[in-house]
Amino acid sequence: MRLDVITIFPEYLAPLDLSLVGKARERGQLDVRVHDLRQWTHDRHHTVDDTPYGGGPGMVMKPEPWGEALDQLLDGARAEGRAEEPTLVVPTPSGAPFTQELAVELSGRPWLVFTPARYEGIDRRVVEEYASRLNVREVSIGDYVLAGGEAPVLVMVEAVARLLPGVLGNAESHRDDSFAPGAMERLLEGPVYTKPPSWRERDVPEVLLSGHHGRVARWRRDQALARTASHRPDLLAGIGSAELDRADREKLCELGWVESDGRFWPPGDRVEE
Ligand code: JDN
């Protein structure tokens, strides 16, 4: 897979030399190219921003440097005989949520181009222009305020790269990631433990040392249900009663959840009626 990142802070992407992504690059599984947007400016101050039409606070990224940068990448690839067009990934707080499902979709593409912005974002005409020629995805990694799209690019590249064939070692694996699509669970993972069995007078739960695989599985599932109920009630509310076994339903009742209309409802919701 080829990845290009166009940014005014190329040094911000230095972590892509490290760890899982860095090793995938060394093995030739990933071809990552980081570009300085200011290469595609022509004035002595390498200007990339200007004041917003219509007024208001902050600055807006000028369209011309982005257009020249993207055209050069597209034309260069065509000249090298590359048949595929890239998917353009635009981090923006007003984008669609970046989910595991989208990570899986992007991991199936041969070429991704990321365009992290600063300031108030990029002149709208850039997305419009390239959306007429390319697959463009405007994405947000979550509902909080950042100063620019570079940190989201690091997040998305890691989420995508680990899905590529041969990138994950044996230490990790995709099996029961909390958000893996199609995994029957859309439950959070429960707690994990390793040696020693007692640390600062805190003991590993007895059941995990019992060697009783059935009881271990049930305990883990109960922990996952409790954790999901506490931290992500929205996920639990999306699971139908039919997907839950008898012990699951008993656990949720014990946690104060109420079964109604084929779903479970959090404690305090739906009390009367
Ligand atoms: O959260 B983000 O993807 C994000 C993107 C931009 C930003 C702030 C946050 N400013 C310009 C793009």
Side-chain angles (χ1 to χ4, degrees):
M1 168 181 274
R2 174 170 168 187
L3 301 178
D4 289 85
V5 185
I6 306 168
T7 170
I8 61 168
F9 292 122
E11 326 84 76
Y12 204 119
L13 283 300
L16 298 181
D17 293 340
L18 306 175
S19 190
L20 174 129
V21 172
K23 285 186 191 117
R25 293 171 73 180
E26 286 170 17
R27 290 192 213 104
Q29 293 162 326
L30 263 185
D31 173 9
V32 178
R33 308 183 195 183
V34 178
H35 313 271
D36 187 342
L37 179 69
R38 294 190 202 274
Q39 284 184 245
W40 292 282
T41 58
H42 305 289
D43 63 310
R44 57 162 56 244
H45 295 112
H46 304 287
T47 309
V48 293
D49 62 335
D50 204 340
T51 54
Y53 274 122
M59 298 291 271
V60 174
M61 296 193 93
K62 295 164 63 59
E64 302 96 321
W66 291 104
E68 289 189 32
L70 290 165
D71 287 350
Q72 187 176 319
L73 291 191
L74 295 171
D75 294 346
R78 212 168 286 129
E80 289 169 30
R82 174 180 279 272
E84 311 100 342
E85 304 254 80
T87 295
L88 185 56
V89 182
V90 183
T92 165
S94 52
F98 181 73
T99 59
Q100 187 64 22
E101 184 184 4
L102 182 52
V104 168
E105 182 189 326
L106 295 178
S107 74
R109 303 278 317 186
W111 183 12
L112 305 177
V113 175
F114 292 90
T115 56
R118 288 271 146 176
Y119 316 111
E120 301 306 312
I122 306 173
D123 185 300
R124 185 66 205 160
R125 293 168 291 183
V126 175
V127 162
E128 288 174 0
E129 166 80 1
Y130 289 94
S132 72
R133 313 195 230 152
L134 304 176
N135 180 20
V136 177
R137 311 302 295 259
E138 293 180 275
V139 293
S140 164
I141 63 162
D143 295 338
Y144 34 78
V145 181
L146 299 174
E150 283 77 8
V153 170
L154 293 175
V155 167
M156 290 188 276
V157 169
E158 182 159 316
V160 168
R162 65 183 288 285
L163 296 172
L164 299 176
V167 167
L168 269 199
N170 284 339
E172 304 134 277
S173 83
H174 300 171
R175 250 186 334 100
D176 44 17
D177 296 345
S178 290
F179 293 100
M184 56 168 211
E185 334 303 314
R186 280 136 359 216
L187 295 180
L188 303 183
E189 298 284 334
V192 296
Y193 300 86
T194 186
K195 292 171 278 299
S198 187
W199 178 74
R200 298 189 182 179
E201 301 188 345
R202 297 170 187 276
D203 297 340
V204 172
E206 190 67 40
V207 61
L208 297 179
L209 311 176
S210 70
H212 196 303
H213 299 303
R215 284 203 286 141
V216 168
R218 185 64 248 167
W219 182 86
R220 284 187 170 150
R221 177 120 180 132
D222 285 346
Q223 292 290 314
L225 287 164
R227 204 168 170 83
T228 308
S230 162
H231 293 175
R232 293 295 305 277
D234 60 312
L235 292 181
L236 258 190
I239 301 177
S241 301
E243 299 175 68
L244 300 168
D245 67 21
R246 180 188 192 83
D248 291 340
R249 297 196 301 271
E250 278 171 14
K251 181 67 184 176
L252 289 179
C253 289
E254 183 189 311
L255 294 167
W257 287 58
V258 178
E259 189 173 5
S260 165
D261 301 336
R263 312 207 281 118
F264 273 88
W265 302 81
D269 265 30
R270 284 220 137 207
V271 273
E272 75 273 275
E273 190 193 339

